[in-house]
């Protein structure tokens, strides 16, 4: 398995986007199935956001000062996704807001993933060497092991909130 930081994150993105498609194709009446898919989306996003917040973003901020604004904007985008995930995790799939809120989450995260992949990951790859990216990747794989899997678990929201209000 590659420990390249960008390969690891893009791999997560792929799984997250596949779940988004599943939700979009589930059909209007598939309430229970949609609930199960959203549970999976929330779990994937909670872990992914955690390893980016704790592993990738602080390293990029430190090593590639040119990307400071992109990192700060990304923390804000994570924060918006965190809020939506937290609300969705407390909401029944029967709720009339459930599908609408999920759609807004999907739109926001899709936009965020596109910016990461097309705008700033290529700059990170250009600025950092293979060795540095693989060190960051190895650190993120370690973080994954202890990552929160639900928004309610300790540590799930902390870093993004710290970045936004400090
Ligand atoms: Fe991100
Ligand atoms: Fe990401």
């Amino acid at each position: 398995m590659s420990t390249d930081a960008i390969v690891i994150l893009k791999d997560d993105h792929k799984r997250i986007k596949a779940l988004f498609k599943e939700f979009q194709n589930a059909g209007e009446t598939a309430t229970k199935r949609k609930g199960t898919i959203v549970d999976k989306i929330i779990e994937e996003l909670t872990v992914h956001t955690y390893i980016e917040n704790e592993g990738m973003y602080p390293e990029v901020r430190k090593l590639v000062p040119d990307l400071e604004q992109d990192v700060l904007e990304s923390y804000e985008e994570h924060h918006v996704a965190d809020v939506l995930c937290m609300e969705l995790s407390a909401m029944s799939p029967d709720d009339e807001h459930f599908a609408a809120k999920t759609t807004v989450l999907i739109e926001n995260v899709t936009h965020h993933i596109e910016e990461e992949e097309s705008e700033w990951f290529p700059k990170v790859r250009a600025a950092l060497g293979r060795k540095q990216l693989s060190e960051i990747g190895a650190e993120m794989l370690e973080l994954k092991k202890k990552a929160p899997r639900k928004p309610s678990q300790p540590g799930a929201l902390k870093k993004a909130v710290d970045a936004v209000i400090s």
Side-chain angles (χ1 to χ4, degrees):
M1 193 192 198
S2 174
T3 59
D4 181 283
I6 292 173
V7 172
I8 292 168
L9 294 175
K10 279 190 170 176
D11 204 56
D12 281 1
H13 291 171
K14 223 195 227 165
R15 270 198 321 282
I16 291 163
K17 286 194 286 186
L19 287 168
F20 288 173
K21 267 226 173 75
E22 252 188 75
F23 179 87
Q24 286 162 334
N25 294 334
E28 213 124 294
T29 53
T31 310
K32 207 179 150 210
R33 216 170 92 68
K34 281 187 180 165
T36 310
I37 299 166
V38 169
D39 283 344
K40 283 194 219 156
I41 289 174
I42 292 171
E43 180 175 340
E44 285 282 351
L45 285 178
T46 306
V47 174
H48 181 75
T49 303
Y50 179 81
I51 68 167
E52 283 191 342
N53 285 346
E54 303 284 330
M56 184 74 168
Y57 287 11
E59 291 296 328
V60 171
R61 204 174 172 182
K62 193 169 67 195
L63 300 169
V64 198
D66 278 357
L67 287 174
E68 170 106 60
Q69 281 313 314
D70 298 80
V71 173
L72 287 173
E73 193 185 308
S74 289
Y75 273 127
E76 296 292 340
E77 288 175 351
H78 281 191
H79 179 61
V80 171
D82 285 345
V83 170
L84 293 169
C85 281
M86 207 163 50
E87 290 174 352
L88 277 169
S89 71
M91 188 179 271
S92 158
D94 293 324
D95 193 300
E96 64 170 358
H97 297 286
F98 190 80
K101 206 178 278 293
T102 305
T103 300
V104 172
L105 175 70
I106 289 174
E107 284 169 1
N108 274 283
V109 173
T110 302
H111 161 84
H112 176 73
I113 286 175
E114 267 162 28
E115 278 193 348
E116 286 185 332
E117 290 196 1
S118 62
E119 284 173 33
W120 64 277
F121 285 178
K123 292 182 194 157
V124 173
R125 174 149 334 267
L128 302 184
R130 202 182 273 262
K131 189 166 164 283
Q132 274 172 313
L133 281 169
S134 116
E135 279 166 8
I136 299 171
E139 186 199 339
M140 287 197 291
L141 289 178
E142 280 306 304
L143 285 166
K144 251 191 194 200
K145 293 182 192 160
K146 58 160 191 168
R149 317 199 85 82
K150 288 181 187 163
S152 57
Q153 283 174 313
L157 306 170
K158 195 181 164 297
K159 200 69 167 207
V161 171
D162 286 352
V164 170
I165 62 175
S166 65

